[in-house]
Amino acid sequence: MSEKKTAHWTESLVDSVYGLYEAANEYRTAHRAAQLQAATVDRIRRMTYEGRIALEGRPTVSGRTFTRAPHGQALSVLSRLYGTVEAETQGRYEEAALLYASGAAWAVRAVLEGKEPPAVAFWTDDHGDPAPHSLEIPGLQTWADGPGLDAAYDALVRCTRAAEYTEELGDREPLNDHESAEIHRANTEAAGIADAAFAYGLLGQRAVSYALIGARRTRESELAQAHAAAQVTPAPPELPHAPYITAVIEALTAAGLEPDTWWTSDAETDPYATGDDAGCTTMLTAVLAWDDTRADEDDETGRDGLFLFWDHPAEQWQYARPRSQGGNTEPEFLPKLGLYSDPDAVASTTRALLANQPFPDGHAPYWHPAGAVRAAVTAWAEQPSEPSA
């Protein structure tokens, strides 16, 4: 039985930057929600019911019974609570966005310097929290999105300088009219740091993929050489899902639908994984491809052809179309074609996809010999991960 492997550094580094994105996006979403919630209790924008209650035993200075408007009090309490949450999420969003932006910048610089970091590394502050890196990303003049990256960097620098200017003016007392206007302008611009950092991080994340092109090609070459070497060495143990995929290929061949290429693998990063190992484990996969370079002007993909994907953590087969510029469209699930559907049903669905015809009616029947394959796949998935070579 084959062993699970941890992801190659080029993949784990991308996942590390993506983790920073997810964290920043969570705080960004929470801050937007907090802003909306605070707006619902803004007493300037809404009517307050003036009905009052009397509080016995608590007379006013004039000796009258003290009264209170409960609705107005509720709005005041909620306004304070929501305001606190809004301020807290704003601070968290800004911190996470700066970590995201600087982490992406650090990753690009590391790759361009010839390093092979498996994850973004940060120095920590006195509290043990990660401290942002430098935000500048040099050396991408040939990248198509380089001008946009530079513009996003300039926008972020303007916001950070405005924050520094606000702090400097805040230490002066008293402020003249000009300085008061300047501090108001700077405060407004400084409030955009989080959004500017998030926008810069998005471009920086794409820059990481661009910087990794050379390293990924080297990795692909190494894998190809290893594959070629394997042709003259004893074959590795059969992958757990190979018997089922072989049965599917045989059914397709019998139906006159044999794919042009197909392969199975245990080295693809598992995008379905969650928890501490997310992005660091692999999954069992199979890819079946039908090549057709005929131009199809009515098809947004640009040409005919088909990819079928089988991923062991998923519940259904998936399909995609090739793009004229290379690669494929975003895979789509086939809800009626379960992970262990009968191979003849896979062939029927494939025929419909290749002919651009409606899918067969009803859910595909289960492949009854799949029990042993399913058990082997489950046993493989429960193995502890081991570092790849």
Side-chain angles (χ1 to χ4, degrees):
M1 185 174 292
S2 59
E3 297 178 345
K4 295 180 71 175
K5 305 179 182 66
T6 55
H8 188 254
W9 74 269
T10 55
E11 296 181 356
S12 63
L13 180 62
V14 170
D15 289 340
S16 181
V17 175
Y18 192 80
L20 292 170
Y21 157 77
E22 288 286 10
N25 195 42
E26 289 289 349
Y27 284 122
R28 176 173 175 265
T29 302
H31 179 56
R32 297 288 189 270
Q35 287 178 309
L36 291 173
Q37 201 66 51
T40 64
V41 292
D42 186 346
R43 299 182 66 170
I44 297 178
R45 300 177 56 191
R46 62 172 297 171
M47 296 291 295
T48 302
Y49 193 71
E50 294 299 331
R52 307 184 73 81
I53 59 174
L55 301 179
E56 300 293 348
R58 187 183 175 185
T60 64
V61 176
S62 61
R64 297 179 180 179
T65 300
F66 189 86
T67 63
R68 173 186 295 165
H71 185 217
Q73 183 188 30
L75 291 180
S76 296
V77 171
L78 290 174
S79 180
R80 290 195 300 272
L81 290 174
Y82 292 153
T84 299
V85 173
E86 182 181 358
E88 177 71 14
T89 53
Q90 166 65 24
R92 297 285 185 176
Y93 171 34
E94 184 173 310
E95 291 174 0
L98 287 170
L99 283 178
Y100 171 41
S102 69
W106 179 91
V108 174
R109 292 195 301 269
V111 173
L112 294 180
E113 291 169 4
K115 300 176 182 177
E116 298 181 356
V120 178
F122 291 96
W123 290 105
T124 55
D125 58 22
D126 294 338
H127 303 288
D129 296 321
H133 291 289
S134 167
L135 292 161
E136 190 173 3
I137 303 179
L140 293 180
Q141 292 83 357
T142 59
W143 186 36
D145 288 330
L149 182 71
D150 292 340
Y153 173 77
D154 291 341
L156 178 55
V157 169
R158 286 195 299 272
C159 290
T160 55
R161 287 177 178 171
E164 294 169 355
Y165 185 53
T166 298
E167 185 175 353
E168 177 188 342
L169 286 180
D171 294 334
R172 301 180 188 176
E173 289 292 344
L175 298 178
N176 58 40
D177 291 343
H178 174 72
E179 289 172 332
S180 296
E182 281 296 296
I183 199 170
H184 176 74
R185 179 199 60 76
N187 269 322
T188 301
E189 190 165 21
I193 287 180
D195 286 337
F198 189 79
Y200 185 58
L202 289 173
L203 283 167
Q205 186 174 354
R206 291 167 58 185
V208 172
S209 295
Y210 175 77
L212 283 171
I213 289 176
R216 282 173 165 165
R217 286 177 178 170
T218 299
R219 175 64 172 168
E220 291 170 358
S221 176
E222 293 172 350
L223 291 174
Q225 292 174 11
H227 179 74
Q231 304 306 307
V232 295
T233 58
E238 186 179 68
L239 295 176
H241 60 314
Y244 173 59
I245 302 302
T246 299
V248 170
I249 297 300
E250 290 174 353
L252 289 167
T253 301
L257 301 170
E258 182 178 5
D260 294 296
T261 57
W262 67 276
W263 63 89
T264 58
S265 173
D266 65 344
E268 293 293 326
T269 301
D270 183 358
Y272 310 90
T274 58
D276 294 338
D277 291 333
C280 298
T281 58
T282 57
M283 63 180 177
L284 297 172
T285 61
V287 180
L288 286 61
W290 288 260
D291 297 328
D292 191 340
T293 57
R294 292 175 300 174
D296 186 354
E297 296 178 354
D298 296 327
D299 186 354
E300 64 177 5
T301 64
R303 58 176 178 156
D304 295 327
L306 175 67
F307 292 97
L308 285 184
F309 303 102
W310 186 98
D311 298 338
H312 93 260
E315 296 181 0
Q316 296 106 20
W317 284 76
Q318 302 170 61
Y319 79 99
R321 301 291 185 179
R323 295 185 183 277
S324 57
Q325 66 271 32
N328 55 265
T329 58
E330 185 71 18
E332 299 180 45
F333 283 99
L334 293 163
K336 296 184 178 180
L337 201 62
L339 200 62
Y340 295 97
S341 289
D342 187 88
D344 289 333
V346 178
S348 297
T349 300
T350 301
R351 186 182 300 280
L353 286 167
L354 289 171
N356 292 315
Q357 297 296 323
F359 296 141
D361 293 332
H363 289 273
Y366 181 75
W367 187 53
H368 293 293
V373 175
R374 184 189 292 271
V377 168
T378 300
W380 181 91
E382 292 175 350
Q383 294 180 97
S385 299
E386 293 186 12
S388 59

